[in-house]
Amino acid sequence: MLDLRDIPVFIQTAESGSFSAAATRLHLTRSAVAKTIARMEQRLGVRLFHRTTRSQSLTEEGILFHERCLKALEEIRAGEAMLESGRKEIRGRLRISLPVVLGRTCIAPILTPLLAEHPGLELDLAFSDRLVDFLEDGFDLAVRNGALRDDSDVMSRVIARQRMIVCASPAYLDAHGEPQTLEDIDRHETIIYARSGIKRSWLFPTPDMPTRSVVPRARLQLDDLEAIADAACAGGGLAWMPCWLVRDRIAEGRLRQVLPSTQGFAFPSHVVWPKSPVMLPRTRLVIDRLAAELPLAMG
């Protein structure tokens, strides 16, 4: 008989493509992963992986076994959810991927009080702006900003909307003037968000027309919203920012909103989770709490 504790190691190795990558994600040594796979192969009497010096790939038998293991885990999770739904106590562990700045500023303060309310609950919050893979990275939930790509394997719910505004420091505006129209943006210094070589357009809703997209020319590109806000405060130019991030800076007089008559675009924030026939009570608790309190936190 196989040890069921070995199954997640096999799945992670299959998805990662190497013992080393699986070991990193599982917080094990490469040797421990290799021994687990060897033990499984010995008990099953088949070779699950083709091995090279750099990578491992599934054999035909390994592919078939991987498919069965995924289905078995889905059934186990459904059974766990069914049993847990009958309990009054919320307990268990949730691993959640959060955008760095939004997660640190708005979401973590909402979720951490749940630990005091539910002593059996465990939360593992990981802050990253990259698009995580639920299976490969081992996450139960993720919060993602903007439009979602089509994916039949996940469920989603809009939990808030982030209104965007254009702002700059008073010192910059005194020196360069204040833009009066969207066309004026091209005559100003701007600070834009760019990640992996992709620049984020500034979006502006227009009455009875498609949303207008502006890609400013910028000498300064950053991949961190907090750094963009700081650069704007230092006089670096115009920045297109979420209201929740700059509201204190505006209240303190370090930034000033410009183009106030231009309607601000509202990015949706979604919570996303793997599709499952039954939702665990701890998962529903977190989703409902975020939907109730995140809009208030963004203010």
Side-chain angles (χ1 to χ4, degrees):
M1 286 290 292
L2 286 175
D3 187 334
L4 292 180
R5 292 172 296 182
D6 293 344
I7 299 298
V9 177
F10 166 70
I11 291 176
Q12 190 62 253
T13 305
E15 299 293 337
S16 302
S18 74
F19 291 166
S20 297
T24 299
R25 290 168 176 164
L26 293 166
H27 304 290
L28 299 172
T29 64
R30 185 188 184 283
S31 175
V33 171
K35 288 178 180 178
T36 298
I37 299 301
R39 182 170 61 246
M40 293 180 68
E41 290 179 329
Q42 183 179 11
R43 290 178 177 175
L44 292 169
V46 297
R47 183 173 289 276
L48 298 171
F49 289 92
H50 297 297
R51 293 165 172 80
T52 69
T53 55
R54 293 187 177 181
S55 66
Q56 290 76 42
S57 60
L58 288 170
T59 63
E60 184 176 348
E61 292 84 358
I63 292 172
L64 294 173
F65 188 61
H66 178 247
E67 292 174 354
R68 293 290 183 176
C69 286
L70 290 178
K71 291 179 180 178
L73 278 183
E74 185 175 330
E75 289 296 320
I76 290 172
R77 291 190 182 110
E80 180 188 8
M82 180 184 66
L83 293 174
E84 189 171 329
S85 64
R87 303 190 189 107
K88 293 183 179 180
E89 179 188 1
I90 299 291
R91 63 183 183 182
R93 179 174 176 267
L94 277 178
R95 189 159 190 250
I96 307 172
S97 173
L98 302 174
V100 176
V101 181
L102 177 65
R104 185 179 63 240
T105 306
C106 297
I107 299 179
I110 293 172
L111 295 184
T112 51
L114 291 175
L115 298 176
E117 298 172 23
H118 304 278
L121 178 65
E122 299 177 26
L123 295 177
D124 180 352
L125 307 182
F127 300 91
S128 174
D129 289 328
R130 72 181 182 88
L131 194 65
V132 300
D133 183 280
F134 287 109
L135 183 60
E136 290 189 13
D137 299 316
F139 285 100
D140 303 296
L141 288 171
V143 173
R144 294 175 180 167
N145 295 322
L148 298 176
R149 65 184 184 185
D150 291 334
D151 190 341
S152 59
D153 294 327
V154 302
M155 304 290 288
S156 66
R157 178 179 172 183
V158 175
I159 51 176
R161 295 190 181 275
Q162 303 183 51
R163 189 170 67 87
M164 306 295 290
I165 61 172
V166 181
C167 54
S169 71
Y172 172 86
L173 295 174
D174 289 344
H176 298 86
E178 185 169 328
Q180 302 299 315
T181 67
L182 295 183
E183 287 73 17
D184 292 342
I185 292 175
D186 282 339
R187 293 191 285 271
H188 282 267
E189 295 288 340
T190 61
I191 311 159
I192 65 172
Y193 183 95
R195 187 172 182 83
S196 301
I198 300 174
K199 300 177 182 178
R200 177 180 290 175
S201 301
W202 295 8
L203 303 177
F204 301 92
T206 55
D208 304 320
M209 295 179 64
T211 296
R212 182 169 178 180
S213 176
V214 176
V215 184
R217 292 173 295 177
R219 291 191 297 157
L220 180 57
Q221 302 178 26
L222 300 166
D223 68 353
D224 181 87
L225 290 175
E226 197 85 54
I228 293 175
D230 289 342
C233 287
L238 306 180
W240 189 61
M241 302 296 294
C243 286
W244 58 265
L245 182 57
V246 296
R247 62 188 174 197
D248 289 344
R249 293 173 173 88
I250 291 174
E252 295 163 359
R254 293 190 289 155
L255 288 176
R256 190 162 81 221
Q257 182 181 356
V258 299
L259 301 170
S261 61
T262 302
Q263 184 178 356
F265 186 83
F267 272 110
S269 292
H270 299 84
V271 61
V272 184
W273 65 96
K275 183 177 289 185
S276 175
V278 182
M279 181 182 287
L280 294 170
R282 59 179 179 267
T283 302
R284 184 175 299 282
L285 170 71
V286 167
I287 294 173
D288 289 346
R289 183 62 61 91
L290 288 176
E293 297 191 12
L294 188 56
L296 299 176
M298 290 181 175

